[in-house]
């Protein structure tokens, strides 16, 4: 393959698997196959975050609306909108309360946006929706200069995948694109009994394992590699001291594989790890500290009945 058209995925695999401590980014989980496996994860009884956030948005969106204090028109801008099945409850409650807003979902996939628009139009015929395809920050730029207040949504607990400094950097960038008084509703998974968290990631069905193994299959598919799937395993652990779930692929023997696209052979020692994902769990103190450091005030936490998850409302 022509090196000049080599993908970000290819570059990052080359960098990550050539490093002393091998790593691959969890952002590459979500190709078509991976996105289907993630839907299965969301349906597992052990994976509580989806059900918890669903409960919050379906039962407390009226309360969330009361906390907005916007008078007149506003925008709801969603980062990483997905299929909108949770956001729909929030939008419906806001419409029922007479909210006058435009919903602006942002996604990098045009196809995802088209599907979302069709679904939303069907479920909520009165909704004004203007999907934007592209990078979060490009779209933030286009909103600058308008006096319409904004509620930004960053749901699902995706912030947990960012390392501390990267999370802060991302939130600072969100903040820089916002006006004073704009709001951010951000989904964050909370610290809790470690067994509950361990079970959600080290699930007995092997679905989270399949989710991680798909990264290797993706390397085989897209980078024309010959990784032997049965020679790798999955491992993850939650540390209640740090609040981090870390996930890994483990090489079961000394081995190598070759990618013709990368024109490279990668070597593995027996038991060598590839770090694949960080999923951070937050305490309320950590949430407040992160909000403050990024230029926000954490004004309210909307919790599920078990207090496993929060949709935290921050104000600039
Ligand atoms: C989509 C990032 C919220 O970290 O819990 C689920 C992804 N990884 N099981 C999470 C995931 C393993 C998930 N987020």
């Amino acid at each position: 393959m022509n090196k000049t058209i080599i993908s970000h995925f290819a570059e990052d695999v080359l960098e990550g698997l050539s490093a002393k401590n091998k790593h691959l980014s969890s952002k590459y989980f979500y190709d078509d196959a991976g996105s289907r496996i993630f839907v299965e994860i969301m349906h597992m009884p052990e994976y509580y975050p989806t059900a918890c956030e669903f409960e919050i948005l379906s039962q407390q969106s009226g309360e969330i609306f009361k906390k907005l204090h916007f008078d007149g028109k506003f925008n709801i801008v969603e980062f990483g909108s997905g299929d909108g099945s949770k956001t729909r409850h929030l939008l419906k409650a806001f419409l029922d309360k007479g909210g006058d807003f435009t919903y602006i979902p942002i996604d990098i996939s045009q196809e995802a946006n088209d599907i979302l628009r069709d679904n939303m139009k069907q479920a909520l015929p009165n909704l004004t929706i203007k999907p934007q395809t592209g990078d979060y920050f490009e779209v933030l730029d286009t909103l600058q200069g308008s006096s319409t207040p904004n509620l930004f949504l960053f749901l699902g607990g995706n912030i947990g995948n960012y390392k501390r400094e990267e999370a802060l950097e991302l939130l600072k960038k969100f903040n820089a694109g916002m006006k004073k008084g704009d709001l951010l509703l951000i989904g964050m998974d909370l610290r809790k009994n470690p067994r509950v968290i361990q079970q959600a990631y080290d699930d007995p069905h092997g679905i989270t394992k399949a989710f991680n193994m798909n990264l290797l299959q993706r390397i085989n598919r897209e980078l024309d590699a010959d990784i032997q799937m049965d020679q790798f395993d999955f491992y993850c652990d939650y540390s209640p001291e740090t609040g981090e779930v870390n996930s890994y692929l483990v090489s079961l023997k000394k081995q190598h594989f070759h990618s013709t696209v990368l024109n490279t052979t990668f070597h593995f020692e027996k038991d060598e790890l590839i770090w694949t994902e960080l999923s951070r769990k937050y305490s309320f103190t950590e949430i407040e500290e992160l909000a403050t450091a990024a230029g926000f005030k954490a004004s309210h936490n909307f919790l599920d009945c078990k207090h496993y998850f929060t949709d935290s409302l921050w104000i600039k």
Side-chain angles (χ1 to χ4, degrees), residues 30 38 41 47 156-158 161 201 208 211 277 279:
Y30 303 91
F38 185 59
I41 289 179
Y47 190 73
N158 293 327
N161 282 162
Y201 292 84
T208 311
F211 191 47
E277 189 178 40
S279 195

Side-chain angles (χ1 to χ4, degrees), residues 2-268:
N2 183 338
K3 282 269 190 216
T4 58
I5 58 163
I6 209 153
S7 63
H8 286 293
F9 177 59
E11 275 176 29
D12 287 352
V13 169
L14 181 59
E15 193 271 322
L17 295 187
S18 306
K20 185 159 158 290
N21 296 312
K22 292 186 172 63
H23 56 90
L24 292 169
S25 169
S26 60
K27 73 180 179 203
Y28 294 117
F29 282 158
Y30 303 91
D31 63 351
D32 290 345
S35 300
R36 281 194 292 272
I37 303 172
F38 185 59
V39 171
E40 284 185 61
I41 289 179
M42 291 192 290
H43 287 123
M44 302 191 303
E46 293 83 5
Y47 190 73
Y48 59 83
T50 309
C52 291
E53 191 171 49
F54 188 89
E55 180 198 315
I56 295 165
L57 296 180
S58 58
Q59 297 182 11
Q60 299 179 60
S61 287
E63 292 304 309
I64 297 173
F65 185 73
K66 281 192 207 157
K67 294 261 188 272
L68 300 184
H69 305 298
F70 291 152
D71 38 35
K73 276 191 194 312
F74 62 99
N75 298 316
I76 298 179
V77 185
E78 181 162 26
F79 300 117
S81 26
D83 71 352
S85 55
K86 283 182 291 190
T87 314
R88 205 177 67 220
H89 291 277
L90 178 127
L91 300 173
K92 177 167 191 317
F94 285 16
L95 288 173
D96 290 348
K97 300 258 169 200
D100 181 8
F101 62 88
T102 300
Y103 174 51
I104 307 175
I106 310 175
D107 204 289
I108 33 160
S109 159
Q110 174 75 49
E111 190 186 310
N113 272 336
D114 291 345
I115 295 169
L116 181 67
R117 183 204 302 259
D118 290 349
N119 290 346
M120 285 296 186
K121 275 280 154 202
Q122 197 137 44
L124 305 169
N126 293 326
L127 180 72
T128 308
I129 175 171
K130 290 191 180 146
Q132 303 289 319
T133 303
D135 181 65
Y136 294 166
F137 302 105
E138 283 167 23
V139 179
L140 267 180
D141 277 349
T142 67
L143 294 169
Q144 298 261 354
S146 147
S147 62
T148 310
N150 299 298
L151 166 64
F152 293 88
L153 304 177
F154 191 51
L155 302 176
N158 293 327
I159 193 70
N161 282 162
Y162 293 79
K163 292 183 202 163
R164 253 179 224 296
E165 326 78 66
E166 290 168 357
L168 181 57
E169 204 182 305
L170 177 72
L171 293 165
K172 279 182 175 169
K173 279 206 213 165
F174 284 172
N175 188 277
M178 293 167 68
K179 289 189 288 288
K180 193 163 165 46
D182 277 358
L183 297 164
L184 172 66
L185 186 68
I186 177 168
M188 299 173 102
D189 198 11
L190 296 169
R191 294 190 184 222
K192 61 184 68 61
N193 185 323
R195 284 190 195 281
V196 173
I197 297 175
Q198 184 69 36
Q199 279 280 96
Y201 292 84
D202 197 12
D203 72 87
H205 320 285
I207 299 175
T208 311
K209 174 178 175 174
F211 191 47
N212 278 259
M213 294 293 281
N214 179 56
L215 267 178
L216 299 180
Q217 272 156 334
R218 187 169 177 188
I219 293 171
N220 277 355
R221 282 191 297 266
E222 294 182 27
L223 306 180
D224 188 32
D226 56 1
I227 303 171
Q228 294 175 49
M229 264 347 110
D230 56 355
Q231 297 307 329
F232 284 89
D233 195 6
F234 164 69
Y235 179 78
C236 68
D237 90 293
Y238 173 61
S239 159
E241 292 183 326
T242 60
E244 291 183 2
V245 177
N246 283 287
S247 299
Y248 308 88
L249 290 158
V250 186
S251 175
L252 292 176
K253 62 174 188 187
K254 186 176 167 79
Q255 60 180 320
H256 60 265
F257 77 83
H258 184 80
S259 156
T260 65
V261 172
L262 296 173
N263 192 22
T264 305
T265 300
F266 298 94
H267 295 266
F268 294 83

